């Protein structure tokens, strides 16, 4: 483990593999509440690490504003075993749920972050993985934030034990991972479609049903650039927000456009800031969120 001020580079051995992650600690933690933990998951790109999310998002800055510890884990070979069965990590049988659970427990032991109230945020492959972790480890995750990534259909039969608040953000012009239902670009033999994912609407409905949110009509707020619908009253006070970005592409809200995708990026809001704002009042204990 190497440290440089508020930045700590770490390595753990999980499932016979050396797994790496970087921790960004806030400059000044609050005395009023325990320091919470945010996991930030990158997308699928060969040999990419969590460093790309540090550079691409403002989570380092938000760490100081909100007093959160932020972890940037490295997927194996630049990807996550998100359950769709299409990534190299899936093919290699990598247990990324175990890896991320171990980080949460490690942080709780080392820094005192609550082990049952983590936030997991991700984009694209990282968003799919965030859904999986929230469904399979709801005793550890209180809030999931998925950017440009609907729920993998392969996870529909997963029976979660805890409600998890969900912030779901997707652009209408996303060509890599469309806002509607779709499949992975990585096809099987003879061009067979695989890795089906749900639409933004279907994903939100799944989380609303899972959390047992109130059946009354949800509240919707619309601007010229986006529309967000809020469902409240879930177990443990959980909420679900479906945020549609008009004309938004496969990018992180508020970040510069990525050249390899060259898709439009909304500048209406900062994704990292909104995730922290959404999560801060919803960090309920696992006991309160038990289904």
């Amino acid at each position: 483990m190497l440290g440089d001020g508020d930045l700590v580079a770490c390595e753990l051995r999980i499932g016979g593999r050396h797994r790496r992650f970087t921790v960004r600690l806030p400059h000044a933690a609050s005395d009023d509440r325990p320091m919470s933990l945010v996991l930030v998951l990158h997308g699928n790109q060969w040999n990419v690490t969590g460093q790309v999310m540090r550079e691409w998002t403002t989570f380092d800055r938000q760490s100081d504003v909100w007093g959160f510890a932020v972890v940037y884990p490295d997927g194996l070979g630049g990807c996550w075993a998100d359950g769709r069965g299409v990534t190299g990590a899936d093919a290699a049988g990598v247990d990324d749920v175990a890896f991320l659970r171990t980080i949460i427990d490690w942080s709780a032991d080392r820094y005192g972050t609550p082990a049952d109230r983590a936030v997991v945020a991700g984009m694209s492959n990282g968003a799919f993985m965030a859904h999986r972790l929230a469904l399979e480890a709801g005793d550890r995750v209180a809030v999931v934030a998925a950017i440009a990534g609907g729920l993998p259909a392969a996870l529909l039969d997963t029976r979660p034990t805890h409600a998890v608040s969900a912030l779901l953000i997707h652009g209408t012009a996303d060509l890599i991972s469309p806002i509607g239902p779709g499949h992975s670009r990585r096809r099987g033999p003879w061009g067979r479609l695989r890795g089906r994912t749900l639409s933004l609407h279907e994903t939100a409905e799944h989380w609303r049903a899972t959390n047992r949110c109130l059946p009354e009509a949800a509240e919707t707020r619309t601007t010229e650039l986006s529309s967000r619908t809020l469902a409240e009253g879930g177990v443990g006070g959980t909420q679900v927000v479906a945020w549609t970005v008009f004309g938004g592409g496969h990018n992180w809200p508020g970040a510069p456009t990525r050249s390899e995708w060259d898709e439009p990026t909304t500048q209406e809001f900062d994704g990292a800031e909104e995730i922290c704002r959404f999560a801060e009042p919803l960090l309920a204990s696992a006991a309160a969120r038990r289904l």
Side-chain angles (χ1 to χ4, degrees):
M1 182 167 58
L2 300 175
D4 181 14
D6 299 314
L7 201 64
V8 184
C10 307
E11 182 177 295
L12 295 172
R13 188 169 177 83
I14 308 294
R17 295 180 170 92
H18 291 285
R19 304 300 304 272
R20 295 178 176 84
F21 57 98
T22 301
V23 182
R24 171 50 157 83
L25 298 173
H27 288 155
S30 171
D31 295 330
D32 300 331
R33 63 183 186 277
M35 179 173 60
S36 299
L37 179 68
V38 181
L39 303 172
V40 183
L41 309 184
H42 59 73
N44 185 353
Q45 184 181 348
W46 172 246
N47 222 24
V48 74
T49 68
Q51 178 65 20
V52 71
M53 297 303 284
R54 284 198 65 231
E55 296 171 353
W56 198 22
T57 72
T58 65
F59 275 110
D60 277 10
R61 186 194 315 159
Q62 306 309 325
S63 172
D64 296 331
V65 173
W66 299 91
F68 292 165
V70 181
V71 169
Y72 302 95
D74 298 348
L76 199 69
C79 65
W80 303 101
D82 58 30
R84 293 176 300 151
V86 300
T87 68
D90 264 325
V94 176
D95 191 343
D96 277 323
V97 171
F99 171 43
L100 298 174
R101 282 185 69 106
T102 300
I103 290 177
I104 294 170
D105 291 341
W106 175 90
S107 176
D109 181 64
R110 184 170 184 82
Y111 299 118
T113 53
D116 61 347
R117 286 165 242 187
V119 179
V120 58
M123 176 174 165
S124 194
N125 177 212
F128 303 137
M129 186 65 224
H131 284 300
R132 182 174 192 178
L133 185 67
L135 287 171
E136 297 184 14
D139 59 330
R140 293 291 187 269
V141 176
V143 176
V144 59
I147 311 295
L151 182 76
L155 302 178
L156 282 172
D157 291 334
T158 301
R159 293 292 173 260
T161 57
H162 295 76
V164 177
S165 291
L167 176 60
L168 314 168
I169 303 175
H170 217 131
T172 60
D174 189 331
L175 299 180
I176 306 297
S177 176
I179 193 171
H183 293 81
S184 169
R185 294 176 296 153
R186 294 173 172 82
R187 299 198 175 196
W190 301 286
R192 177 175 57 86
L193 292 173
R194 57 183 185 154
R196 186 170 72 88
T197 53
L198 275 60
S199 69
L200 172 63
H201 175 73
E202 292 169 328
T203 299
E205 287 301 315
H206 186 81
W207 277 112
R208 289 169 191 159
T210 297
N211 293 342
R212 302 173 190 167
C213 290
L214 295 173
E216 290 83 1
E219 173 191 350
T220 299
R221 295 173 54 192
T222 301
T223 71
E224 291 184 0
L225 301 176
S226 67
S227 178
R228 46 184 151 167
T229 300
L230 165 68
E232 301 180 281
V235 173
T238 50
Q239 300 179 3
V240 176
V241 169
W243 198 331
T244 301
V245 179
F246 304 140
H250 198 69
N251 276 304
W252 187 273
T257 299
R258 293 288 297 235
S259 58
E260 60 265 40
W261 292 316
D262 195 26
E263 293 201 0
T265 306
T266 182
Q267 298 298 322
E268 183 188 22
F269 61 93
D270 181 316
E273 180 181 10
E274 292 300 331
I275 288 168
C276 293
R277 178 177 289 111
F278 175 77
E280 199 273 338
L282 298 172
L283 299 176
S285 69
R289 297 181 290 103
R290 182 82 188 187
L291 293 172

